PDB file of all heavy atoms in Angstrom:
ATOM      1  N   SER B  28      64.257 132.657-106.306  1.00 90.00           N
ATOM      2  CA  SER B  28      64.783 134.038-106.256  1.00 90.00           C
ATOM      3  C   SER B  28      66.230 134.165-106.169  1.00 90.00           C
ATOM      4  O   SER B  28      66.831 134.451-105.190  1.00 90.00           O
ATOM      5  CB  SER B  28      64.092 134.764-105.039  1.00 90.00           C
ATOM      6  OG  SER B  28      64.575 136.138-105.042  1.00 90.00           O
ATOM      7  N   ASP B  29      66.942 133.667-107.179  1.00 94.00           N
ATOM      8  CA  ASP B  29      68.395 133.764-107.179  1.00 94.00           C
ATOM      9  C   ASP B  29      68.788 134.020-108.783  1.00 94.00           C
ATOM     10  O   ASP B  29      68.256 133.646-109.638  1.00 94.00           O
ATOM     11  CB  ASP B  29      68.971 132.392-106.893  1.00 94.00           C
ATOM     12  CG  ASP B  29      70.513 132.485-106.597  1.00 94.00           C
ATOM     13  OD1 ASP B  29      71.302 132.770-107.626  1.00 94.00           O
ATOM     14  OD2 ASP B  29      70.985 132.516-105.402  1.00 94.00           O
ATOM     15  N   PHE B  30      69.808 135.004-108.744  1.00 96.00           N
ATOM     16  CA  PHE B  30      70.227 135.290-110.170  1.00 96.00           C
ATOM     17  C   PHE B  30      70.701 134.158-111.046  1.00 96.00           C
ATOM     18  O   PHE B  30      70.583 134.301-112.365  1.00 96.00           O
ATOM     19  CB  PHE B  30      71.472 136.392-109.992  1.00 96.00           C
ATOM     20  CG  PHE B  30      70.988 137.707-109.693  1.00 96.00           C
ATOM     21  CD1 PHE B  30      70.774 138.182-108.453  1.00 96.00           C
ATOM     22  CD2 PHE B  30      70.825 138.756-110.795  1.00 96.00           C
ATOM     23  CE1 PHE B  30      70.323 139.469-108.151  1.00 96.00           C
ATOM     24  CE2 PHE B  30      70.552 139.948-110.548  1.00 96.00           C
ATOM     25  CZ  PHE B  30      70.217 140.450-109.091  1.00 96.00           C
ATOM     26  N   LYS B  31      71.084 133.087-110.413  1.00 95.00           N
ATOM     27  CA  LYS B  31      71.490 131.979-111.251  1.00 95.00           C
ATOM     28  C   LYS B  31      70.333 131.262-112.089  1.00 95.00           C
ATOM     29  O   LYS B  31      70.613 130.586-112.991  1.00 95.00           O
ATOM     30  CB  LYS B  31      72.193 130.896-110.398  1.00 95.00           C
ATOM     31  CG  LYS B  31      71.307 130.212-109.484  1.00 95.00           C
ATOM     32  CD  LYS B  31      72.196 129.257-108.612  1.00 95.00           C
ATOM     33  CE  LYS B  31      71.322 128.552-107.604  1.00 95.00           C
ATOM     34  NZ  LYS B  31      72.093 127.567-106.738  1.00 95.00           N
ATOM     35  N   TYR B  32      69.129 131.680-111.617  1.00 94.00           N
ATOM     36  CA  TYR B  32      67.887 131.132-112.298  1.00 94.00           C
ATOM     37  C   TYR B  32      67.318 132.045-113.259  1.00 94.00           C
ATOM     38  O   TYR B  32      66.296 131.753-113.926  1.00 94.00           O
ATOM     39  CB  TYR B  32      66.802 130.792-111.310  1.00 94.00           C
ATOM     40  CG  TYR B  32      67.261 129.660-110.437  1.00 94.00           C
ATOM     41  CD1 TYR B  32      67.441 129.855-108.962  1.00 94.00           C
ATOM     42  CD2 TYR B  32      67.417 128.324-110.902  1.00 94.00           C
ATOM     43  CE1 TYR B  32      67.743 128.793-108.140  1.00 94.00           C
ATOM     44  CE2 TYR B  32      67.785 127.281-109.970  1.00 94.00           C
ATOM     45  CZ  TYR B  32      67.933 127.583-108.575  1.00 94.00           C
ATOM     46  OH  TYR B  32      68.241 126.553-107.809  1.00 94.00           O
ATOM     47  N   ALA B  33      67.970 133.213-113.476  1.00 96.00           N
ATOM     48  CA  ALA B  33      67.506 134.318-114.442  1.00 96.00           C
ATOM     49  C   ALA B  33      67.700 133.824-115.854  1.00 96.00           C
ATOM     50  O   ALA B  33      68.763 133.350-116.293  1.00 96.00           O
ATOM     51  CB  ALA B  33      68.232 135.618-114.132  1.00 96.00           C
ATOM     52  N   ARG B  34      66.532 133.920-116.553  1.00 95.00           N
ATOM     53  CA  ARG B  34      66.529 133.458-117.987  1.00 95.00           C
ATOM     54  C   ARG B  34      67.325 134.526-118.913  1.00 95.00           C
ATOM     55  O   ARG B  34      67.749 134.210-120.065  1.00 95.00           O
ATOM     56  CB  ARG B  34      65.146 133.332-118.558  1.00 95.00           C
ATOM     57  CG  ARG B  34      64.443 132.118-117.791  1.00 95.00           C
ATOM     58  CD  ARG B  34      62.989 131.885-118.306  1.00 95.00           C
ATOM     59  NE  ARG B  34      62.362 133.119-118.197  1.00 95.00           N
ATOM     60  CZ  ARG B  34      61.572 133.488-117.005  1.00 95.00           C
ATOM     61  NH1 ARG B  34      61.566 132.701-115.996  1.00 95.00           N
ATOM     62  NH2 ARG B  34      60.845 134.499-116.980  1.00 95.00           N
ATOM     63  N   VAL B  35      67.255 135.791-118.465  1.00 97.00           N
ATOM     64  CA  VAL B  35      67.851 136.861-119.148  1.00 97.00           C
ATOM     65  C   VAL B  35      68.753 137.535-118.321  1.00 97.00           C
ATOM     66  O   VAL B  35      68.389 137.776-117.095  1.00 97.00           O
ATOM     67  CB  VAL B  35      66.703 137.951-119.640  1.00 97.00           C
ATOM     68  CG1 VAL B  35      67.332 139.101-120.365  1.00 97.00           C
ATOM     69  CG2 VAL B  35      65.730 137.245-120.553  1.00 97.00           C
ATOM     70  N   PRO B  36      69.979 137.975-118.708  1.00 97.00           N
ATOM     71  CA  PRO B  36      70.939 138.686-117.776  1.00 97.00           C
ATOM     72  C   PRO B  36      70.325 140.048-117.317  1.00 97.00           C
ATOM     73  O   PRO B  36      69.672 140.715-117.914  1.00 97.00           O
ATOM     74  CB  PRO B  36      72.143 139.092-118.839  1.00 97.00           C
ATOM     75  CG  PRO B  36      71.935 137.976-119.746  1.00 97.00           C
ATOM     76  CD  PRO B  36      70.536 137.562-119.919  1.00 97.00           C
ATOM     77  N   TYR B  37      70.346 140.212-116.019  1.00 98.00           N
ATOM     78  CA  TYR B  37      69.593 141.266-115.230  1.00 98.00           C
ATOM     79  C   TYR B  37      70.389 141.910-114.118  1.00 98.00           C
ATOM     80  O   TYR B  37      71.055 141.207-113.530  1.00 98.00           O
ATOM     81  CB  TYR B  37      68.328 140.560-114.670  1.00 98.00           C
ATOM     82  CG  TYR B  37      67.639 141.260-113.566  1.00 98.00           C
ATOM     83  CD1 TYR B  37      67.073 142.578-113.608  1.00 98.00           C
ATOM     84  CD2 TYR B  37      67.705 140.667-112.251  1.00 98.00           C
ATOM     85  CE1 TYR B  37      66.469 143.100-112.613  1.00 98.00           C
ATOM     86  CE2 TYR B  37      67.246 141.398-111.169  1.00 98.00           C
ATOM     87  CZ  TYR B  37      66.627 142.641-111.374  1.00 98.00           C
ATOM     88  OH  TYR B  37      66.015 143.171-110.274  1.00 98.00           O
ATOM     89  N   ILE B  38      70.260 143.171-114.043  1.00 98.00           N
ATOM     90  CA  ILE B  38      70.976 143.861-112.998  1.00 98.00           C
ATOM     91  C   ILE B  38      69.980 144.849-112.319  1.00 98.00           C
ATOM     92  O   ILE B  38      69.238 145.522-113.031  1.00 98.00           O
ATOM     93  CB  ILE B  38      72.051 144.806-113.571  1.00 98.00           C
ATOM     94  CG1 ILE B  38      73.315 143.767-114.084  1.00 98.00           C
ATOM     95  CG2 ILE B  38      72.693 145.812-112.670  1.00 98.00           C
ATOM     96  CD1 ILE B  38      74.472 144.510-114.618  1.00 98.00           C
ATOM     97  N   ALA B  39      70.003 144.969-111.007  1.00 98.00           N
ATOM     98  CA  ALA B  39      69.264 145.789-110.139  1.00 98.00           C
ATOM     99  C   ALA B  39      70.176 147.007-109.768  1.00 98.00           C
ATOM    100  O   ALA B  39      71.322 146.647-109.195  1.00 98.00           O
ATOM    101  CB  ALA B  39      68.621 145.192-109.068  1.00 98.00           C
ATOM    102  N   VAL B  40      69.776 148.284-109.882  1.00 98.00           N
ATOM    103  CA  VAL B  40      70.587 149.323-109.527  1.00 98.00           C
ATOM    104  C   VAL B  40      70.281 149.953-108.240  1.00 98.00           C
ATOM    105  O   VAL B  40      69.059 150.305-107.997  1.00 98.00           O
ATOM    106  CB  VAL B  40      70.517 150.346-110.691  1.00 98.00           C
ATOM    107  CG1 VAL B  40      71.562 151.547-110.305  1.00 98.00           C
ATOM    108  CG2 VAL B  40      71.013 149.904-111.970  1.00 98.00           C
ATOM    109  N   ALA B  41      71.233 149.989-107.324  1.00 98.00           N
ATOM    110  CA  ALA B  41      70.929 150.634-106.004  1.00 98.00           C
ATOM    111  C   ALA B  41      72.034 151.737-105.831  1.00 98.00           C
ATOM    112  O   ALA B  41      72.920 151.880-106.614  1.00 98.00           O
ATOM    113  CB  ALA B  41      71.008 149.561-104.899  1.00 98.00           C
ATOM    114  N   THR B  42      71.918 152.240-104.560  1.00 98.00           N
ATOM    115  CA  THR B  42      72.997 153.470-104.188  1.00 98.00           C
ATOM    116  C   THR B  42      73.606 153.030-102.820  1.00 98.00           C
ATOM    117  O   THR B  42      72.820 152.829-101.928  1.00 98.00           O
ATOM    118  CB  THR B  42      72.359 154.807-104.167  1.00 98.00           C
ATOM    119  OG1 THR B  42      71.773 154.968-105.426  1.00 98.00           O
ATOM    120  CG2 THR B  42      73.369 155.820-103.981  1.00 98.00           C
ATOM    121  N   ASP B  43      74.905 153.143-102.744  1.00 97.00           N
ATOM    122  CA  ASP B  43      75.442 153.030-101.398  1.00 97.00           C
ATOM    123  C   ASP B  43      75.321 154.252-100.746  1.00 97.00           C
ATOM    124  O   ASP B  43      75.861 155.344-101.037  1.00 97.00           O
ATOM    125  CB  ASP B  43      77.029 152.679-101.556  1.00 97.00           C
ATOM    126  CG  ASP B  43      77.629 152.385-100.293  1.00 97.00           C
ATOM    127  OD1 ASP B  43      77.399 152.980 -99.271  1.00 97.00           O
ATOM    128  OD2 ASP B  43      78.541 151.473-100.319  1.00 97.00           O
ATOM    129  N   LEU B  44      74.641 154.241 -99.506  1.00 95.00           N
ATOM    130  CA  LEU B  44      74.141 155.464 -98.773  1.00 95.00           C
ATOM    131  C   LEU B  44      75.450 156.120 -98.186  1.00 95.00           C
ATOM    132  O   LEU B  44      75.431 157.393 -98.046  1.00 95.00           O
ATOM    133  CB  LEU B  44      73.296 155.090 -97.685  1.00 95.00           C
ATOM    134  CG  LEU B  44      72.727 156.256 -96.847  1.00 95.00           C
ATOM    135  CD1 LEU B  44      71.737 157.229 -97.709  1.00 95.00           C
ATOM    136  CD2 LEU B  44      71.793 155.702 -95.746  1.00 95.00           C
ATOM    137  N   LEU B  45      76.510 155.352 -97.880  1.00 94.00           N
ATOM    138  CA  LEU B  45      77.774 155.913 -97.294  1.00 94.00           C
ATOM    139  C   LEU B  45      78.693 156.520 -98.187  1.00 94.00           C
ATOM    140  O   LEU B  45      79.404 157.526 -97.909  1.00 94.00           O
ATOM    141  CB  LEU B  45      78.410 154.894 -96.345  1.00 94.00           C
ATOM    142  CG  LEU B  45      77.472 154.224 -95.244  1.00 94.00           C
ATOM    143  CD1 LEU B  45      78.317 153.303 -94.418  1.00 94.00           C
ATOM    144  CD2 LEU B  45      77.043 155.428 -94.248  1.00 94.00           C
ATOM    145  N   THR B  46      78.788 156.006 -99.412  1.00 96.00           N
ATOM    146  CA  THR B  46      79.737 156.411-100.394  1.00 96.00           C
ATOM    147  C   THR B  46      79.159 157.236-101.517  1.00 96.00           C
ATOM    148  O   THR B  46      79.833 157.994-102.259  1.00 96.00           O
ATOM    149  CB  THR B  46      80.525 155.309-101.033  1.00 96.00           C
ATOM    150  OG1 THR B  46      79.605 154.421-101.698  1.00 96.00           O
ATOM    151  CG2 THR B  46      81.195 154.433 -99.945  1.00 96.00           C
ATOM    152  N   GLY B  47      77.752 157.049-101.744  1.00 96.00           N
ATOM    153  CA  GLY B  47      77.085 157.733-102.768  1.00 96.00           C
ATOM    154  C   GLY B  47      77.372 157.167-104.180  1.00 96.00           C
ATOM    155  O   GLY B  47      77.026 157.770-105.211  1.00 96.00           O
ATOM    156  N   LYS B  48      78.003 155.918-104.173  1.00 97.00           N
ATOM    157  CA  LYS B  48      78.280 155.311-105.476  1.00 97.00           C
ATOM    158  C   LYS B  48      77.277 154.364-105.932  1.00 97.00           C
ATOM    159  O   LYS B  48      76.437 153.764-105.069  1.00 97.00           O
ATOM    160  CB  LYS B  48      79.601 154.457-105.303  1.00 97.00           C
ATOM    161  CG  LYS B  48      80.824 155.348-105.086  1.00 97.00           C
ATOM    162  CD  LYS B  48      82.101 154.542-104.986  1.00 97.00           C
ATOM    163  CE  LYS B  48      83.428 155.371-104.826  1.00 97.00           C
ATOM    164  NZ  LYS B  48      84.575 154.542-104.655  1.00 97.00           N
ATOM    165  N   GLU B  49      77.055 154.146-107.180  1.00 98.00           N
ATOM    166  CA  GLU B  49      76.072 153.271-107.850  1.00 98.00           C
ATOM    167  C   GLU B  49      76.537 151.865-107.497  1.00 98.00           C
ATOM    168  O   GLU B  49      77.725 151.470-107.585  1.00 98.00           O
ATOM    169  CB  GLU B  49      76.145 153.549-109.347  1.00 98.00           C
ATOM    170  CG  GLU B  49      75.258 152.592-110.128  1.00 98.00           C
ATOM    171  CD  GLU B  49      75.414 152.901-111.516  1.00 98.00           C
ATOM    172  OE1 GLU B  49      75.045 153.948-112.226  1.00 98.00           O
ATOM    173  OE2 GLU B  49      75.890 151.919-112.325  1.00 98.00           O
ATOM    174  N   VAL B  50      75.555 151.041-107.112  1.00 98.00           N
ATOM    175  CA  VAL B  50      75.768 149.610-106.948  1.00 98.00           C
ATOM    176  C   VAL B  50      75.018 148.805-107.926  1.00 98.00           C
ATOM    177  O   VAL B  50      73.670 148.918-107.899  1.00 98.00           O
ATOM    178  CB  VAL B  50      75.525 149.277-105.419  1.00 98.00           C
ATOM    179  CG1 VAL B  50      75.713 147.749-105.237  1.00 98.00           C
ATOM    180  CG2 VAL B  50      76.257 150.083-104.458  1.00 98.00           C
ATOM    181  N   ARG B  51      75.600 148.015-108.770  1.00 98.00           N
ATOM    182  CA  ARG B  51      74.998 147.134-109.620  1.00 98.00           C
ATOM    183  C   ARG B  51      74.956 145.760-109.098  1.00 98.00           C
ATOM    184  O   ARG B  51      75.969 145.048-109.061  1.00 98.00           O
ATOM    185  CB  ARG B  51      75.798 147.124-111.056  1.00 98.00           C
ATOM    186  CG  ARG B  51      75.916 148.621-111.707  1.00 98.00           C
ATOM    187  CD  ARG B  51      76.603 148.545-112.980  1.00 98.00           C
ATOM    188  NE  ARG B  51      76.572 149.947-113.526  1.00 98.00           N
ATOM    189  CZ  ARG B  51      77.143 150.218-114.688  1.00 98.00           C
ATOM    190  NH1 ARG B  51      77.675 149.100-115.437  1.00 98.00           N
ATOM    191  NH2 ARG B  51      77.182 151.419-115.217  1.00 98.00           N
ATOM    192  N   ILE B  52      73.689 145.341-108.788  1.00 98.00           N
ATOM    193  CA  ILE B  52      73.715 143.973-108.147  1.00 98.00           C
ATOM    194  C   ILE B  52      73.186 142.975-109.218  1.00 98.00           C
ATOM    195  O   ILE B  52      72.210 143.155-109.875  1.00 98.00           O
ATOM    196  CB  ILE B  52      72.622 144.032-107.056  1.00 98.00           C
ATOM    197  CG1 ILE B  52      72.763 145.146-106.099  1.00 98.00           C
ATOM    198  CG2 ILE B  52      72.412 142.700-106.269  1.00 98.00           C
ATOM    199  CD1 ILE B  52      71.721 145.378-105.095  1.00 98.00           C
ATOM    200  N   LYS B  53      74.139 142.022-109.435  1.00 97.00           N
ATOM    201  CA  LYS B  53      73.910 140.942-110.388  1.00 97.00           C
ATOM    202  C   LYS B  53      74.100 139.427-109.923  1.00 97.00           C
ATOM    203  O   LYS B  53      74.266 138.586-110.831  1.00 97.00           O
ATOM    204  CB  LYS B  53      74.755 141.281-111.576  1.00 97.00           C
ATOM    205  CG  LYS B  53      76.182 141.457-111.344  1.00 97.00           C
ATOM    206  CD  LYS B  53      76.957 141.928-112.437  1.00 97.00           C
ATOM    207  CE  LYS B  53      78.360 142.311-112.282  1.00 97.00           C
ATOM    208  NZ  LYS B  53      79.080 142.806-113.480  1.00 97.00           N
ATOM    209  N   SER B  54      74.170 139.242-108.742  1.00 96.00           N
ATOM    210  CA  SER B  54      74.341 137.939-108.129  1.00 96.00           C
ATOM    211  C   SER B  54      73.711 137.919-106.679  1.00 96.00           C
ATOM    212  O   SER B  54      73.429 138.922-106.121  1.00 96.00           O
ATOM    213  CB  SER B  54      75.848 137.620-108.024  1.00 96.00           C
ATOM    214  OG  SER B  54      76.496 138.459-107.128  1.00 96.00           O
ATOM    215  N   GLY B  55      73.424 136.697-106.343  1.00 96.00           N
ATOM    216  CA  GLY B  55      72.829 136.559-105.077  1.00 96.00           C
ATOM    217  C   GLY B  55      71.388 136.311-105.003  1.00 96.00           C
ATOM    218  O   GLY B  55      70.819 135.832-106.119  1.00 96.00           O
ATOM    219  N   ASN B  56      70.603 136.929-104.142  1.00 96.00           N
ATOM    220  CA  ASN B  56      69.181 136.754-103.971  1.00 96.00           C
ATOM    221  C   ASN B  56      68.573 138.112-104.755  1.00 96.00           C
ATOM    222  O   ASN B  56      68.745 139.080-104.408  1.00 96.00           O
ATOM    223  CB  ASN B  56      68.789 136.877-102.628  1.00 96.00           C
ATOM    224  CG  ASN B  56      67.401 136.417-102.326  1.00 96.00           C
ATOM    225  OD1 ASN B  56      66.357 137.379-102.545  1.00 96.00           O
ATOM    226  ND2 ASN B  56      67.028 135.326-101.779  1.00 96.00           N
ATOM    227  N   ILE B  57      67.630 137.699-105.720  1.00 97.00           N
ATOM    228  CA  ILE B  57      66.946 138.792-106.528  1.00 97.00           C
ATOM    229  C   ILE B  57      66.058 139.480-105.782  1.00 97.00           C
ATOM    230  O   ILE B  57      65.953 140.769-105.886  1.00 97.00           O
ATOM    231  CB  ILE B  57      66.251 138.083-107.654  1.00 97.00           C
ATOM    232  CG1 ILE B  57      67.245 137.559-108.649  1.00 97.00           C
ATOM    233  CG2 ILE B  57      65.281 139.158-108.381  1.00 97.00           C
ATOM    234  CD1 ILE B  57      66.551 136.924-109.955  1.00 97.00           C
ATOM    235  N   ALA B  58      65.300 138.881-104.669  1.00 96.00           N
ATOM    236  CA  ALA B  58      64.430 139.677-103.826  1.00 96.00           C
ATOM    237  C   ALA B  58      65.223 140.688-103.085  1.00 96.00           C
ATOM    238  O   ALA B  58      64.720 141.815-102.793  1.00 96.00           O
ATOM    239  CB  ALA B  58      63.609 138.600-103.009  1.00 96.00           C
ATOM    240  N   ASP B  59      66.329 140.336-102.567  1.00 96.00           N
ATOM    241  CA  ASP B  59      67.218 141.321-101.806  1.00 96.00           C
ATOM    242  C   ASP B  59      67.574 142.452-102.591  1.00 96.00           C
ATOM    243  O   ASP B  59      67.650 143.642-102.308  1.00 96.00           O
ATOM    244  CB  ASP B  59      68.276 140.648-101.251  1.00 96.00           C
ATOM    245  CG  ASP B  59      68.036 139.690-100.010  1.00 96.00           C
ATOM    246  OD1 ASP B  59      66.895 139.751 -99.443  1.00 96.00           O
ATOM    247  OD2 ASP B  59      68.983 138.969 -99.546  1.00 96.00           O
ATOM    248  N   ALA B  60      67.984 142.139-103.979  1.00 97.00           N
ATOM    249  CA  ALA B  60      68.424 143.159-104.769  1.00 97.00           C
ATOM    250  C   ALA B  60      67.361 144.109-105.210  1.00 97.00           C
ATOM    251  O   ALA B  60      67.561 145.237-105.216  1.00 97.00           O
ATOM    252  CB  ALA B  60      68.924 142.334-106.112  1.00 97.00           C
ATOM    253  N   ILE B  61      66.147 143.630-105.321  1.00 97.00           N
ATOM    254  CA  ILE B  61      65.013 144.492-105.608  1.00 97.00           C
ATOM    255  C   ILE B  61      64.650 145.328-104.322  1.00 97.00           C
ATOM    256  O   ILE B  61      64.360 146.549-104.559  1.00 97.00           O
ATOM    257  CB  ILE B  61      63.820 143.648-106.051  1.00 97.00           C
ATOM    258  CG1 ILE B  61      64.062 142.954-107.454  1.00 97.00           C
ATOM    259  CG2 ILE B  61      62.627 144.552-106.209  1.00 97.00           C
ATOM    260  CD1 ILE B  61      62.960 141.928-107.899  1.00 97.00           C
ATOM    261  N   ARG B  62      64.731 144.674-103.248  1.00 96.00           N
ATOM    262  CA  ARG B  62      64.443 145.285-102.074  1.00 96.00           C
ATOM    263  C   ARG B  62      65.391 146.529-101.766  1.00 96.00           C
ATOM    264  O   ARG B  62      65.069 147.658-101.408  1.00 96.00           O
ATOM    265  CB  ARG B  62      64.505 144.466-100.894  1.00 96.00           C
ATOM    266  CG  ARG B  62      64.439 145.072 -99.410  1.00 96.00           C
ATOM    267  CD  ARG B  62      63.028 145.815 -99.226  1.00 96.00           C
ATOM    268  NE  ARG B  62      63.063 146.572 -97.895  1.00 96.00           N
ATOM    269  CZ  ARG B  62      63.633 147.691 -97.739  1.00 96.00           C
ATOM    270  NH1 ARG B  62      64.178 148.374 -98.693  1.00 96.00           N
ATOM    271  NH2 ARG B  62      63.618 148.173 -96.381  1.00 96.00           N
TER     272      ARG B  62
END
């Protein structure tokens, strides 16, 4: 569960609750990104 093992470039989209801005997660732990 790490983006470096992704076979296809992938981004998980989240929202920063404090700023209201879109957050594009594309590195680190994939399970955390999905959560």
Side-chain angles (χ1 to χ4, degrees):
S28 184
D29 193 291
F30 278 84
K31 67 183 179 182
Y32 296 112
R34 297 180 300 276
V35 176
Y37 155 71
I38 289 178
V40 180
T42 304
D43 187 322
L44 188 61
L45 299 180
T46 66
K48 292 182 178 179
E49 176 184 299
V50 178
R51 300 180 179 185
I52 308 174
K53 52 188 176 181
S54 63
N56 189 289
I57 291 179
D59 285 348
I61 294 171
R62 171 62 183 85

